[in-house]
């Protein structure tokens, strides 16, 4: 501590009288990102929903803020035939509501190429076109191939890229070459392993970026900061003090226009194999010795390896599946899942799941982790809730007949980007009564700077070759090997239909969920 008069005055102003802004007293420790090299991004699936809603706005915003260079080549590739101008018009429409001051310059970087995913000639033509477009703009020939296409085409596109010489780094006019693969990475362990094998035929693991945009959310990244940049939480972060952990990802939307995909995936593939497992790993992992991608991925993989496999008996106790029926969300009547366009009217696809998971290691032995996710729930909300054990002995019990509530630490991921700690205090007044109060931190408190959207962050990390927020192959396969028996149980058991609990849209899930966590 610096005891100079100036510093003490500042301390008194800040801490005692709360006058100064936090910026005066806090140190900002940000990783410095290097300059971004010119690059080309080829988006396969450029006419699809993901490109329109997420990728195009993310690229434009990065361009607008100067995060990516002027010398940029963006090539949209899909089956449809259209001119560069038609493609630019499509993207412009997707950006409605954005500051368009840089549009004309950005638009001059946009091109379109019709590609058939199973045609070698199509990829040779693409390769030629890239050489022409990159001249003078991207002298090193750095390239990102973004697969925003149906997963059934991941293997063939990577194969075609390889055969056309487009996967080779620092050869054939290429600089670095990266391939971005959207979730889902397979639909079970077998298909995930097959997909990894195919990708590895032409791309090294360091060239493959398996994106999970959840990981790039600021509040998800913040879980590591909270746990490992503070000394006060870690000593409490174990079976000694934590009773249970709840990870909840609720959506108020239904299946929307993705029925075909969702009927195949269901909630377990759509949410658990990826986002929920990542939130679990971030909450449960050991501290890596350094904040480096492989060090972090190693610790996550250790968590996945420690997940207690389900026995047949366990599954009945530890898995709750549901499907939404009609109801009301935000005062508006909405149909049930089976009435949604494109859904089988007798579908038994789960839209809600609760799983109780145990992690068999020293730190977490005996602590249940409840993972809950569903569609058409009362509110869109994602939270990690750490429920601490109750005080071991309540000295208030005999006198007041009151039990002190356990402390709860809530990490709000969405929409409330917050950290909140509940604790017991005395209610003001003559009587001695307890009340629970909360200490809240809002993620944007004292911060007015720009915030990167998850896709913007993921794209910029990929350009910089940083794998921290992407899935590594072993993580994908470990999670599938854990979830395969669960999927097997809910898809192939004889009483599949009977095990599905229906819940009205707009509720908090099936009634059975109430007793699930007790
Ligand atoms: P869409 O169905 O909206 O778009 C698919 C795209 O692939 C279209 O551009 C289509 O082109 C193209 N395509 C399909 N078949 C062929 C073919 N045989 N040859 C050439 N092009 C073809 O899908 P989404 O955008 O919704 O999703 C894309 C991927 O991203 C999927 O893997 C999905 O799981 C994943 N994802 C999507 C999210 C989302 O919010 N949409 C979120 C997270 C992941 P054309 O129109 O010319 O046929």
């Amino acid at each position: 501590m610096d005891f100079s008069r100036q510093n003490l005055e500042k301390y008194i102003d800040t801490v005692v009288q709360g006058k100064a802004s936090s910026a005066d007293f806090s140190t900002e420790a940000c990783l410095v990102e290097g300059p971004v090299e010119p690059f080309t991004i080829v988006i396969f699936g450029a006419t699809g929903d993901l490109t329109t809603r997420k990728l195009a706005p993310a690229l434009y915003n990065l361009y607008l803020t100067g995060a990516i260079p002027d010398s940029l080549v963006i090539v949209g590739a899909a089956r449809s035939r259209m001119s560069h101008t038609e493609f630019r018009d499509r993207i412009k429409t997707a950006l409605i509501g954005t500051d368009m001051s840089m549009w004309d310059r950005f638009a001059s970087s946009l091109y379109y190429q019709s590609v058939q995913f199973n045609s070698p000639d199509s990829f040779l033509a693409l390769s030629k076109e890239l050489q022409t477009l990159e001249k003078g703009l991207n002298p090193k020939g750095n390239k990102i191939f973004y697969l925003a296409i149906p997963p059934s085409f991941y293997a063939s596109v990577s194969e075609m890229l390889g055969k056309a010489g487009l996967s080779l780094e620092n050869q054939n006019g290429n600089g670095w070459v990266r391939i971005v693969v959207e979730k889902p990475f397979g639909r079970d362990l077998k298909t995930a392993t097959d997909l990894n094998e195919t990708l590895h035929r032409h791309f090294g693991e360091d060239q493959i970026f398996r994106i999970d945009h959840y990981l790039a959310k600021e509040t998800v990244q913040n879980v590591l900061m909270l746990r490992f940049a503070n000394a006060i939480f870690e000593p409490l972060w174990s079976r000694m003090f934590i009773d249970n952990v709840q990870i909840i990802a609720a959506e108020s939307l239904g299946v929307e226009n993705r029925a075909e995909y969702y009927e195949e995936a269901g909630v377990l593939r759509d949410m658990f194999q990826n986002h929920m497992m990542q939130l679990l790993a971030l909450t449960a992992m050991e501290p890596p010795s350094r904040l480096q991608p492989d060090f972090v991925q190693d610790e996550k993989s250790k968590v996945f390896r420690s997940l207690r496999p389900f026995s047949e008996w366990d599954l009945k106790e530890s898995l709750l599946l549901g499907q939404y029926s009609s109801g009301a969300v935000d005062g508006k009547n909405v149909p049930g899942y089976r009435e949604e366009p494109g859904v089988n009217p007798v579908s038994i696809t789960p839209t809600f799941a609760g799983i109780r998971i145990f992690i068999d290691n020293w730190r977490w032995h005996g602590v249940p982790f409840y993972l809950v996710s569903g569609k058409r729930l009362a509110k869109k909300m994602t939270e990690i809730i750490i429920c601490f054990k109750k005080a071991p002995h309540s000295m208030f019990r005999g006198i007041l007949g009151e039990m002190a509530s356990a402390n709860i630490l809530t990490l709000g991921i969405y929409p409330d980007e917050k950290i909140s700690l509940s604790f017991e205090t005395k209610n003001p007044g003559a009587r001695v009564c307890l009340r629970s109060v909360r200490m809240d931190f809002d993620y944007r408190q004292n911060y007015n700077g720009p915030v990167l959207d998850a896709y913007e962050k993921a794209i910029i990390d990929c350009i910089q070759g940083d794998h921290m927020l992407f899935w590594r192959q072993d993580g994908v396969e470990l999670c599938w090997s854990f979830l395969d028996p669960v999927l097997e149980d809910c898809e192939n058991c004889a009483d599949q239909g009977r095990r599905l609990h229906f819940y009205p849209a707009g509720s908090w899930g099936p009634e059975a969920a109430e007793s699930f966590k007790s």
Side-chain angles (χ1 to χ4, degrees), residues 167-222:
S167 62
L168 296 171
E169 287 194 298
N170 305 314
Q171 292 175 55
N172 281 17
N174 299 333
W176 49 251
V177 177
R178 292 167 192 152
I179 185 164
V180 182
V181 185
E182 267 291 347
K183 68 151 198 164
F185 321 117
R187 51 173 287 108
D188 51 25
L189 178 60
K190 165 90 176 68
T191 49
T193 317
D194 289 349
L195 174 62
N196 280 328
E197 265 176 35
T198 312
L199 289 170
H200 282 149
R201 234 173 268 152
H202 299 287
F203 294 89
E205 181 64 18
D206 61 336
Q207 292 179 276
I208 303 171
F209 288 73
R210 298 176 191 83
I211 188 170
D212 184 337
H213 72 277
Y214 242 64
L215 279 175
K217 285 179 188 283
E218 289 280 357
T219 40
V220 173
Q221 294 176 61
N222 191 44

Side-chain angles (χ1 to χ4, degrees), residues 334-388:
V334 293
Y337 179 70
R338 291 176 174 185
E339 289 113 50
E340 299 273 19
V343 171
N344 178 349
V346 290
S347 169
I348 41 175
T349 301
T351 60
F352 175 100
I355 309 187
R356 181 173 50 206
I357 287 175
F358 287 96
I359 300 174
D360 281 337
N361 63 18
W362 190 282
R363 185 192 281 258
W364 294 115
H365 181 80
V367 178
F369 283 72
Y370 298 100
L371 273 55
V372 176
S373 179
K375 282 198 174 291
R376 278 284 188 236
L377 296 178
K379 184 179 156 195
K380 182 169 169 64
M381 172 274 254
T382 304
E383 283 185 353
I384 301 172
I385 302 165
I386 315 289
C387 301
F388 288 91

Side-chain angles (χ1 to χ4, degrees), residues 117-375:
F117 292 163
N118 52 6
S119 152
D121 289 346
S122 228
F123 282 78
L124 287 175
L126 175 67
S127 174
K128 252 185 158 172
E129 180 70 5
L130 290 178
Q131 279 173 19
T132 313
L133 295 175
E134 284 173 341
K135 256 190 207 128
L137 283 175
N138 179 7
K140 288 194 186 164
N142 301 322
K143 291 179 185 55
I144 296 175
F145 297 106
Y146 199 120
L147 307 193
I149 50 178
S152 51
F153 290 109
Y154 292 167
S156 64
V157 169
S158 100
E159 197 75 29
M160 292 290 158
L161 287 170
K163 288 187 175 152
L166 285 165
S167 62
L168 296 171
E169 287 194 298
N170 305 314
Q171 292 175 55
N172 281 17
N174 299 333
W176 49 251
V177 177
R178 292 167 192 152
I179 185 164
V180 182
V181 185
E182 267 291 347
K183 68 151 198 164
F185 321 117
R187 51 173 287 108
D188 51 25
L189 178 60
K190 165 90 176 68
T191 49
T193 317
D194 289 349
L195 174 62
N196 280 328
E197 265 176 35
T198 312
L199 289 170
H200 282 149
R201 234 173 268 152
H202 299 287
F203 294 89
E205 181 64 18
D206 61 336
Q207 292 179 276
I208 303 171
F209 288 73
R210 298 176 191 83
I211 188 170
D212 184 337
H213 72 277
Y214 242 64
L215 279 175
K217 285 179 188 283
E218 289 280 357
T219 40
V220 173
Q221 294 176 61
N222 191 44
V223 176
L224 286 192
M225 310 306 152
L226 173 87
R227 288 192 56 198
F228 303 135
N230 297 292
I232 59 170
F233 297 111
E234 244 349 75
L236 305 178
W237 212 264
S238 74
R239 69 181 194 289
M240 304 289 284
F241 296 97
I242 293 179
D243 183 75
N244 70 81
V245 176
Q246 301 173 24
I247 301 179
I248 299 168
E251 291 182 74
S252 56
L253 288 179
V255 70
E256 304 297 292
N257 55 358
R258 303 187 74 210
E260 193 185 338
Y261 155 76
Y262 203 84
E263 275 284 89
E264 282 288 304
V267 68
L268 291 170
R269 290 190 179 85
D270 187 47
M271 290 298 291
F272 282 74
Q273 196 280 333
N274 33 70
H275 312 321
M276 301 300 276
M277 283 294 158
Q278 284 291 346
L279 294 181
L280 172 73
L282 290 168
T283 310
M285 68 193 254
E286 296 299 318
S289 59
R290 293 182 67 179
L291 189 66
Q292 283 192 0
D294 267 341
F295 291 29
V296 173
Q297 308 281 13
D298 288 346
E299 295 306 333
K300 287 183 181 174
S301 291
K302 283 188 209 161
V303 173
F304 299 144
R305 235 175 253 128
S306 311
L307 298 175
R308 186 185 299 172
F310 293 108
S311 68
E312 210 175 294
W313 182 86
D314 281 340
L315 268 176
K316 289 213 163 51
E317 293 290 306
S318 304
L319 174 67
L320 177 74
L321 297 172
Q323 189 189 82
Y324 64 84
S325 45
S326 57
V329 176
D330 293 333
K332 209 175 127 212
N333 289 338
V334 293
Y337 179 70
R338 291 176 174 185
E339 289 113 50
E340 299 273 19
V343 171
N344 178 349
V346 290
S347 169
I348 41 175
T349 301
T351 60
F352 175 100
I355 309 187
R356 181 173 50 206
I357 287 175
F358 287 96
I359 300 174
D360 281 337
N361 63 18
W362 190 282
R363 185 192 281 258
W364 294 115
H365 181 80
V367 178
F369 283 72
Y370 298 100
L371 273 55
V372 176
S373 179
K375 282 198 174 291

Side-chain angles (χ1 to χ4, degrees), residues 45 47-50 53 79-80 115 117 148-149 153-154 182-183:
T47 53
D49 176 71
L50 184 69
R53 280 192 313 111
R79 183 169 39 185
S80 316
V115 172
F117 292 163
I149 50 178
F153 290 109
Y154 292 167
E182 267 291 347
K183 68 151 198 164

Side-chain angles (χ1 to χ4, degrees), residues 34-102:
V36 173
E37 291 186 325
F39 68 98
T40 298
I41 180 165
V42 180
I43 304 176
F44 293 102
T47 53
D49 176 71
L50 184 69
T51 306
T52 315
R53 280 192 313 111
K54 299 287 181 187
L55 304 182
L59 281 165
Y60 180 67
N61 282 332
L62 288 173
Y63 188 81
L64 199 60
T65 52
I68 53 178
D70 249 352
S71 42
L72 171 73
V73 178
I74 302 174
V75 179
R79 183 169 39 185
S80 316
R81 300 203 165 273
M82 73 178 91
S83 65
H84 299 316
T85 312
E86 283 167 320
F87 181 58
R88 287 171 191 152
D89 289 346
R90 258 185 106 99
I91 299 296
K92 190 173 186 184
T93 312
L95 298 177
I96 283 173
T98 318
D99 166 4
M100 295 305 272
S101 55
M102 299 285 276

